[in-house]
Amino acid sequence: MSYFSDLGLAEPILRALGAKGYSDPTPIQRQAIPALLEGRDLLGIAQTGTGKTAAFALPSLHRLAADPQPRKGASCRMLVLSPTRELAAQIAENMRGYAKYLNLSVQCIFGGVPVGKQARALVPGCDVLVATPGRLLDLIEQRALTLRHVEIFVLDEADQMMDLGFIVPLKRVANLLPKERQSLFFSATMPKAIAELGKQFIHNPVRVEVTPQATTAERVEQFAVHLNQAEKQALLTLSLRKGLQSGEIERALVFTRTKHGADRVVRHLAAAGVTAAAIHGNKSQSQRTAALGAFRKGDCPVLVATDIAARGIDVSGVSHVFNFEMPNVPEQYVHRIGRTARAGATGVSISFVAPDEKPYLRDIERLTQVKLACLPLPDGFLQEAARLPAPTRKPGGDEAHDRRDNRRGGERRGPRPEGERRPARPEGERHPARQDGKQRTPRVEGEGQPQQRRFKRRAGGPGAFRGKVKRAS
Ligand code: AMP
């Protein structure tokens, strides 16, 4: 057994860990901290929930504190890149906790909120900056930030960065970093493409792997229910209602493949008296923060999320994960059920498998080498399902959205899952609305519109309305 004090971390850091009640390092911390204290680069294969944040935060804070530097304006000494806003906020919060007794400042920047306040906060410079890639590049373009003084660079959740299409922004960031630096590269999975990306950032790294690649969390009891798509909502509502009433379910995370699907599930649950909130890319930052806060505090015991919004979120006490729709990428399943059974707890995952999702289940079982135990539909399911109230219809809501989606040439049924990209148009073929041959402004950021959009429709500018309003007769 080793303790944090054996690893050679500075006293103020040990004090902060003591305040949090941590005494023993987790396996990734035990492996990574000594190498990082020596200044080595690191390649970490680890999911969230393993103590990965502290594994990179503690030695980095130690090194920054051991070599105090006068703060330089509009710059940072350590840069942590994270794919989502929620994860960035969570990392920053953790780092502030670990740096509580050090004279080091931590800032966090992400899209979806006004840029001005973040730019102003960067003026005096900071020691640690946690950022999402799009907003980081926006601020660099606005000259509110330079990466010239970065000593430690951390790329977190690299596989998700790639899924989200952040590869070009990442390469741009790489070009702006000083050559002399310490680099840490973390990913939950390490397919070839990610390993290739890693080579661009890290040199001669120490390799640390805590869960063998794509193995499912051992402490999660995994079940599958075979049913029709139309029966899923009723089973979810009844399972949650019963489990929450009996206290068997403490907090449940429900995964849907689409954003509209998530909203629809929430409305059905609300009609049946189950408090739930949705979190996905169409929600404003304040809505996402409020939903996550209520879930963390226990005010809202059910969070319905898409994969991208939920990835990396650390909420303790998630007792159940429901896969309302099966992920079509088997690794995603591992990430989903990793939300439960965190920090020594046990968890339950229940996957709802419609007939057309059986191939996904097969892929998952092949990858995880675990056969999911099949649960039957509960006794009296049909009668109880028939008694459930219908949700209020949202005008022009999901149904209209689904119809619109189904009209698109029939090549895809239903809305596009969040994060899935539009299929590439054949080379030489133009967008139907772009017959003029002009190219659209390239989009850098996966989490919002580019800044220039805001100025595009200036009065009198292109697209501004000049004629008289014609009254419809
Ligand atoms: P992470 O993988 O960084 O998301 O961490 C998962 C959870 O474990 C977070 O809630 C951490 O605060 C917690 N944690 C990290 N390190 C330790 C430790 N050494 N002992 C107990 N809990 C920890």
Side-chain angles (χ1 to χ4, degrees):
M1 175 88 76
S2 74
Y3 298 98
F4 279 116
S5 46
D6 300 338
L7 297 175
L9 291 164
E11 188 279 328
I13 297 177
L14 295 177
R15 211 174 342 138
L17 289 170
K20 277 187 165 271
Y22 303 167
S23 55
D24 308 332
T26 64
I28 191 170
Q29 293 163 1
R30 219 169 292 144
Q31 292 175 56
I33 291 173
L36 292 174
L37 284 174
E38 282 174 20
R40 296 280 305 269
D41 279 8
L42 182 121
L43 175 70
I45 306 173
Q47 297 178 37
T48 44
T50 53
K52 171 173 66 125
T53 314
F56 68 72
L58 304 176
S60 303
L61 292 171
H62 175 105
R63 275 165 55 82
L64 294 176
D67 176 26
Q69 301 275 336
R71 217 158 273 164
K72 298 187 182 75
S75 71
C76 60
R77 297 180 65 196
M78 174 176 181
L79 173 67
V80 183
L81 274 190
S82 144
T84 65
R85 312 158 191 187
E86 281 78 13
L87 190 54
Q90 194 172 286
I91 293 172
E93 196 188 312
N94 281 346
M95 293 203 70
R96 283 190 190 112
Y98 301 137
K100 200 162 135 186
Y101 302 113
L102 294 169
N103 184 22
L104 295 173
S105 68
V106 179
Q107 291 288 351
C108 184
I109 56 172
F110 45 72
V113 292
V115 72
K117 197 171 158 208
Q118 294 178 349
R120 280 193 297 281
L122 291 175
V123 171
C126 61
D127 295 294
V128 180
L129 180 64
V130 188
T132 53
R135 181 52 61 93
L136 180 83
L137 287 169
D138 275 350
L139 285 160
I140 292 172
E141 272 161 28
Q142 292 183 17
R143 304 208 180 285
L145 177 71
T146 166
L147 302 184
R148 265 203 306 271
H149 306 292
V150 171
E151 298 163 41
I152 306 171
F153 171 63
V154 182
L155 179 58
D156 197 16
E157 303 266 349
D159 50 353
Q160 200 191 356
M161 290 269 193
M162 209 145 176
D163 289 349
L164 286 172
F166 280 135
I167 194 90
V168 174
L170 284 182
K171 286 183 177 162
R172 285 181 58 196
V173 171
N175 285 334
L176 297 169
L177 290 167
K179 294 264 172 298
E180 263 311 290
R181 59 166 202 260
Q182 184 182 22
S183 298
L184 289 65
F185 186 91
F186 288 94
S187 189
T189 55
M190 195 55 64
K192 235 177 158 184
I194 305 288
E196 285 302 313
L197 178 71
K199 282 189 195 149
Q200 300 182 22
F201 291 94
I202 40 180
H203 301 286
N204 188 23
V206 173
R207 190 184 159 104
V208 171
E209 182 166 356
V210 281
T211 17
Q213 207 169 334
T215 342
T216 337
E218 280 142 23
R219 292 184 307 276
V220 184
E221 286 184 76
Q222 300 170 57
F223 300 100
V225 186
H226 290 273
L227 75 180
N228 292 319
Q229 185 67 31
E231 295 169 323
K232 287 185 173 183
Q233 182 63 55
L235 181 63
L236 179 73
T237 307
L238 294 171
S239 309
L240 286 172
R241 208 161 61 179
K242 200 163 145 232
L244 289 166
Q245 268 165 12
S246 69
E248 193 193 326
I249 297 180
E250 193 184 331
R251 238 175 249 151
L253 200 47
V254 179
F255 283 95
T256 61
R257 282 189 64 209
T258 69
K259 303 177 245 188
H260 292 273
D263 287 337
R264 193 164 29 217
V265 166
V266 167
R267 281 206 306 284
H268 276 270
L269 291 175
V274 178
T275 311
I279 173 166
H280 55 67
N282 277 7
K283 297 273 177 195
S284 69
Q285 186 54 39
S286 57
Q287 284 170 322
R288 288 164 70 150
T289 308
L292 202 55
F295 187 59
R296 277 212 172 100
K297 275 196 273 163
D299 298 345
C300 172
V302 180
L303 194 66
V304 186
T306 55
D307 290 299
I308 286 171
R311 192 68 191 268
I313 288 174
D314 173 35
V315 177
S316 54
V318 176
S319 57
H320 287 66
V321 166
F322 287 88
N323 290 310
F324 188 80
E325 272 131 8
M326 297 300 283
N328 54 358
V329 179
E331 282 83 2
Q332 206 69 266
Y333 174 84
V334 181
H335 295 314
R336 286 185 182 186
I337 73 160
R339 311 294 90 221
T340 178
R342 295 167 84 91
T346 52
V348 174
S349 91
I350 303 174
S351 297
F352 292 181
V353 188
D356 63 341
E357 292 173 309
K358 281 186 184 163
Y360 301 152
L361 177 63
R362 266 200 301 279
D363 289 349
I364 289 164
E365 290 182 335
R366 198 174 302 137
L367 178 85
T368 59
Q369 306 274 303
V370 173
K371 184 129 185 69
L372 272 59
C374 282
L375 290 177
L377 284 170
D379 289 339
F381 169 70
L382 290 179
Q383 290 86 331
E384 281 196 58
R387 281 201 293 272
L388 287 173
T392 44
R393 256 170 188 260
K394 199 173 126 204
D398 307 329
E399 291 75 12
H401 176 93
D402 290 353
R403 271 200 306 279
R404 274 199 303 278
D405 274 320
N406 289 341
R407 280 205 301 269
R408 285 185 209 136
E411 92 266 33
R412 185 169 50 79
R413 306 288 297 277
R416 178 177 294 118
E418 190 174 14
E420 190 170 292
R421 307 198 132 228
R422 193 190 296 273
R425 198 170 294 122
E427 213 177 313
E429 194 176 295
R430 278 183 196 144
H431 186 284
R434 294 243 146 218
Q435 298 302 342
D436 54 2
K438 281 184 196 152
Q439 284 300 306
R440 198 154 52 128
T441 322
R443 188 130 166 223
V444 214
E445 190 172 14
E447 49 180 86
Q449 301 295 319
Q451 286 298 311
Q452 57 263 43
R453 260 302 140 89
R454 287 208 333 240
F455 309 108
K456 215 170 152 190
R457 290 191 178 236
R458 203 181 292 145
F465 180 77
R466 292 199 189 84
K468 282 186 186 163
V469 179
K470 205 172 173 187
R471 204 175 273 273
S473 54

